[in-house]
Amino acid sequence: MAGLDGLRAFAVIVVVLFHLTPGAVVGGYLGVDVFFVVSGFIITRLLLIEHVSTGRIRLGSFWLRRARRLLPALVVLLLACSSAALLVGGDVLVGLGAQLVTALTFSSNWYFIASGSDYFASTAPELFRNLWSLAVEEQFYLLWPLVLLLVVLRLPRVARVVVLALATVASATAMALMLTPGDPTSVYYATGTHAFGLTLGALLAVVSRWWSTRALEWPLAARRILGTAGALSLAGLVALSIAMPGEADWAYQGGLLAVAVLTAVLIAAFLVPGSPLARAIDVAPLRWIGRRSYGIYLWHWPVFVLLVALLPDWSSEPALAWALGGIAAAITVVVAALSYRYVETPIRRDGFRATWRAWASGWRPARLATAGSAAALVLVLVGVAGTTAALVVQPQQSDVADRIQAGQDAIRETPTPTSDPTPTPTSDPTGPPRQLQGDQITAVGDSVMLAAVPELQAAFPGIHIDAAVSRSMSAAPDILRGLRNAGMLRPTVVIALGTNGPISWDTLVTIRDIIGPERELVLATAQAPRAWIPGVNEKLVSFAWQYRDVELADWYTAIQPHLDVLARDRVHFGSAGARIFTATVQEALTRLAALPPTRDPLADESLPRPV
């Protein structure tokens, strides 16, 4: 069907850009939802064609075809990347055993939910994190033919449409209602809340079976309307891939449903006989990429994770980070092309047995294929041996996770601060200045602050710390408003939330308005190999410079001479980095304490009163 390969190419390109060039295409993750609609459409269409042609659906044959399509490339990926992870070592080996088991049983999405993984975080990127979507699709492939055969095909035409439409709406509604603001992980990974793309594709396949395939039977107006709608849908997908950040709640409260609807409309436009839009998007380069999109999707993320672990310093410089993404993309395309040519196509075309016989025949004397068969055997044995060794040496948890867990435990063991509806900026005259007294400080942060909790508590006894993994600056207003309304917001507020995404000036203004003029604010700059960090730090510096009661804890500048103390992700740290972070905050608080008190002009009779 013309157009589908080009659409697959678009989907995989935006996903690869999203992962390999962080910040460049903030909504590129929507490519997965495009794949869901395409898969739901194609699988349902094939099942319906079989049912019409033969009067039945051979479930065993269908599942065998799916296995022939998906398993060979997946097994090669798992063996190769697990062996490479053994050579790289460190955090890329964390949880490898569970990832392999769940990848082969197509249950990765549930494993990542249970383990607390965050698709949009980089604390400890799992080697095979991208396989969650493959799990969702395979679960659909397992259940949908049964539902189609036993339920849907027994219903009248209108009832089929109604049932699939209700299933689509129910799934999208569940995602919106079950979303935890600021934490979309569970609704994003879960099959039930992310099945609407698959069911919408199935709905389109059911409806389109009643459409004519003859151009003369299509009214000219209908062809033009669908063509225009398809072009606008493609433009809408491009726009959302650029403008729909994964951190935004609205992405899960209608945004991804909009992606699914736009994709369905685009596929419907391809169904118009002789569709010029289908021909335009199916140009040769995109068609080549689209046919290899499965392999490209499989390989791009593990290759990138391994390269980042191998060359961590490259991630700290924007130019080198882009170069690293480019290298990962080049390796991905080459490996995916080889997989498509020598693994996927032979097995999909000839089946497992015929491919095995062809490989075994290469051992006959005087055959040029003998060398190829021997090389394949060596690669398989090396992959199995490397994967086995990697499973033996895998650590239980990453160093970063250990440090963050220690911070979470320390916060949990700290008594909840008592409510005090009015800040009392008083200090012990015999002790340090008020700004340096822990019981006068509220600190709000992300995983970076979590990694420094023990040191912060030691430097500022009694400090109230509210920190969580993957938190961004956009969450700060609600957190501070809640603490203020509960009477728990102290006279000095420290915020370190610049790591996990861009920030806006309006958010900083809102934060200052919430804490009020009676409190002082310290903003910590961010250090991370992310494209948005320079912009984040520039805004923080400018904001602190503009207001007398806002001070800057310049963590970025302080850590640059000591990048060697950071973890491989170039974001988090151990005890040495925690001491530098704490010292940076302490220096900012000391500068605040050294400021002379402001003079109230109304209390000075020698000055003219303002009119």
Side-chain angles (χ1 to χ4, degrees):
M1 177 177 162
L4 286 183
D5 281 332
L7 184 55
R8 288 193 190 98
F10 165 78
V12 80
I13 287 171
V14 294
V15 170
V16 169
L17 288 175
F18 174 71
H19 285 145
L20 271 53
T21 58
V25 185
V26 298
Y29 61 95
L30 64 75
V32 172
D33 289 83
V34 174
F35 276 126
F36 282 170
V37 179
V38 172
S39 296
F41 172 77
I42 290 177
I43 293 304
T44 306
R45 189 174 177 88
L46 290 174
L47 291 171
L48 291 174
I49 290 173
E50 180 181 356
H51 186 264
V52 170
S53 302
T54 66
R56 61 177 181 168
I57 295 176
R58 299 172 59 192
L59 297 177
S61 297
F62 169 78
W63 287 324
L64 179 60
R65 290 195 301 271
R66 289 294 88 204
R68 285 162 53 176
R69 176 69 183 95
L70 300 176
L71 281 176
L74 177 63
V75 171
V76 171
L77 169 85
L78 297 177
L79 292 177
C81 290
S82 297
S83 301
L86 175 67
L87 299 178
V88 174
D91 289 351
V92 294
L93 291 170
V94 174
L96 182 63
Q99 290 184 66
L100 290 176
V101 170
T102 53
L104 291 171
T105 56
F106 300 108
S107 56
S108 297
N109 61 322
W110 299 113
Y111 163 70
F112 291 135
I113 291 174
S115 62
S117 172
D118 185 347
Y119 181 76
F120 300 97
S122 58
T123 304
E126 298 91 349
L127 186 60
F128 300 116
R129 179 187 291 175
N130 61 319
L131 299 186
W132 75 271
S133 63
L134 188 62
V136 172
E137 289 195 17
E138 273 300 302
Q139 292 159 34
F140 175 78
Y141 297 156
L142 181 64
L143 297 176
W144 174 237
L146 293 171
V147 175
L148 183 67
L149 187 61
L150 299 178
V151 179
V152 176
L153 290 178
R154 297 175 183 268
L155 297 174
R157 284 188 173 188
V158 175
R160 297 177 192 179
V161 174
V162 170
V163 166
L164 286 170
L166 288 176
T168 301
V169 172
S171 175
T173 302
M175 172 178 276
L177 295 179
M178 296 174 67
L179 172 69
T180 300
D183 182 17
T185 298
S186 58
V187 297
Y188 188 72
Y189 280 144
T191 305
T193 53
H194 212 149
F196 51 85
L198 292 160
T199 56
L200 186 59
L203 173 60
L204 176 62
V206 169
V207 172
S208 63
R209 288 296 298 165
W210 308 325
W211 297 354
S212 173
T213 58
R214 298 179 180 179
L216 294 178
E217 296 181 8
W218 278 74
L220 182 59
R223 296 170 62 181
R224 287 178 175 175
I225 290 173
L226 263 182
T228 302
L232 292 175
S233 296
L234 180 59
L237 289 173
V238 173
L240 287 174
S241 70
I242 297 172
M244 188 172 69
E247 298 82 9
D249 289 344
W250 64 270
Y252 313 95
Q253 295 171 330
L256 291 179
L257 177 60
V259 170
V261 171
L262 292 173
T263 304
V265 172
L266 184 54
I267 297 174
F270 295 162
L271 289 167
V272 175
S275 168
L277 181 61
R279 291 197 303 270
I281 200 174
D282 242 4
V283 293
L286 291 181
R287 190 167 62 249
W288 188 93
I289 294 173
R291 291 177 179 174
R292 293 155 184 80
S293 58
Y294 174 58
I296 293 172
Y297 180 80
L298 285 184
W299 284 92
H300 82 280
W301 176 255
V303 167
F304 183 61
V305 170
L306 291 169
L307 283 176
V308 170
L310 190 63
L311 303 168
D313 291 335
W314 285 44
S315 300
S316 58
E317 293 290 337
L320 289 177
W322 277 76
L324 192 66
I327 294 171
I331 294 174
T332 295
V333 171
V334 171
V335 176
L338 292 173
S339 173
Y340 181 80
R341 170 65 179 83
Y342 295 106
V343 178
E344 299 169 51
T345 299
I347 294 177
R348 184 175 67 248
R349 182 188 60 221
D350 304 325
F352 290 107
R353 293 179 182 177
T355 303
W356 168 261
R357 286 195 296 268
W359 177 81
S361 67
W363 292 97
R364 296 173 183 172
R367 288 288 300 272
L368 293 176
T370 300
S373 298
L377 178 62
V378 170
L379 290 175
V380 170
L381 293 177
V382 169
V384 171
T387 300
T388 302
L391 292 174
V392 171
V393 302
Q394 64 174 322
Q396 293 300 313
Q397 190 168 251
S398 70
D399 295 337
V400 169
D402 284 336
R403 186 73 190 181
I404 291 174
Q405 184 63 54
Q408 292 171 330
D409 293 341
I411 292 176
R412 196 177 300 113
E413 295 167 1
T414 303
T416 303
T418 57
S419 299
D420 182 4
T422 58
T424 55
T426 59
S427 60
D428 181 358
T430 62
R434 168 183 56 80
Q435 290 85 351
L436 296 172
Q437 294 180 16
D439 59 0
Q440 300 290 302
I441 303 172
T442 294
V444 178
D446 52 24
S447 57
V448 173
M449 183 175 283
L450 276 174
V453 165
E455 285 74 14
L456 288 170
Q457 290 180 334
F460 311 107
I463 185 175
H464 175 213
I465 300 176
D466 185 328
V469 174
S470 302
R471 181 181 284 170
S472 61
M473 189 69 75
S474 61
D478 288 339
I479 295 170
L480 295 172
R481 192 178 291 111
L483 291 173
R484 183 199 63 190
N485 294 343
M488 297 167 58
L489 191 60
R490 295 173 174 179
T492 303
V493 179
V494 178
I495 296 181
L497 289 171
T499 306
N500 293 305
I503 66 174
S504 71
W505 189 269
D506 290 342
T507 300
L508 297 176
V509 171
T510 301
I511 289 172
R512 187 168 178 271
D513 290 341
I514 291 171
I515 68 174
E518 67 274 17
R519 295 182 179 88
E520 295 173 306
L521 177 63
V522 172
L523 297 172
T525 56
Q527 154 61 36
R530 305 288 181 269
W532 57 76
I533 292 298
V536 166
N537 289 339
E538 182 180 352
K539 284 189 177 71
L540 293 174
V541 170
S542 298
F543 193 82
W545 181 262
Q546 182 167 330
Y547 296 100
R548 184 182 186 278
D549 56 354
V550 180
E551 186 55 69
L552 189 75
D554 198 353
W555 162 241
Y556 176 84
T557 300
I559 197 59
Q560 294 312 300
H562 312 287
L563 291 176
D564 56 305
V565 306
L566 296 179
R568 274 184 167 176
D569 64 358
R570 286 298 186 262
V571 177
H572 302 90
F573 40 72
S575 57
R579 289 193 294 270
I580 298 173
F581 181 85
T582 301
T584 304
V585 173
Q586 194 166 27
E587 290 169 4
L589 293 170
T590 301
R591 290 193 295 272
L592 268 182
L595 290 175
T598 56
R599 184 173 60 180
D600 183 358
L602 295 179
D604 190 341
E605 297 298 333
S606 65
L607 295 175
R609 294 182 181 274
V611 177

